[in-house]
Amino acid sequence: EMGSVRIEFNAKEVVKISPAGTITGFDGRVFIVDENTIAKTKAKGVDLPLNIEHCFTEKGCAAVGWFDVNTLELKEDGVYARLTLNEEGKELIKNKNYRYL
């Protein structure tokens, strides 16, 4: 299940951002994450934001870091990408406000 995935954040530049395969969310929606998903995401050419609490509001949500869409890679255990944190993101991790992706 998507909600049961806890990936402790550390200083690595390339991090696991998602499990792979068929994923069922808390709300029952089913997602398929495979090579096709990666290809479609890369084709959009837009880096992926790392935001707090999956916040999606009418005004949007400020990113605390960005995953480089060109570095998305599907491995046996999930999807990986290079993450660059902004200053707020670095502080949140340093102060242990957040530890997991």
Side-chain angles (χ1 to χ4, degrees):
E1 286 186 1
M2 196 171 196
S4 65
V5 175
R6 273 196 203 127
I7 303 162
E8 186 159 5
F9 184 85
N10 59 39
K12 291 180 185 176
E13 290 184 351
V14 175
V15 294
K16 183 177 175 182
I17 64 171
S18 172
T22 302
I23 303 160
T24 303
F26 282 136
D27 61 3
R29 289 182 296 162
V30 176
F31 304 90
I32 298 174
V33 179
D34 58 14
E35 285 291 350
N36 188 43
T37 309
I38 301 299
K40 285 180 177 181
T41 304
K42 282 183 173 182
K44 290 183 179 186
V46 177
D47 290 340
L48 307 174
L50 172 63
N51 56 37
I52 298 171
E53 308 285 341
H54 277 298
C55 110
F56 294 99
T57 65
E58 288 181 20
K59 294 191 299 186
C61 183
V64 296
W66 293 91
F67 296 101
D68 180 344
V69 71
N70 295 313
T71 65
L72 286 173
E73 181 181 359
L74 182 63
K75 296 184 180 182
E76 192 172 306
D77 67 331
V79 179
Y80 288 76
R82 183 173 310 278
L83 172 63
T84 302
L85 293 171
N86 61 25
E87 290 306 313
E88 181 181 0
K90 289 175 189 175
E91 283 297 313
L92 289 170
I93 299 302
K94 177 182 162 193
N95 295 331
K96 294 196 178 197
N97 295 84
Y98 291 89
R99 288 180 57 191
Y100 302 102
L101 291 178

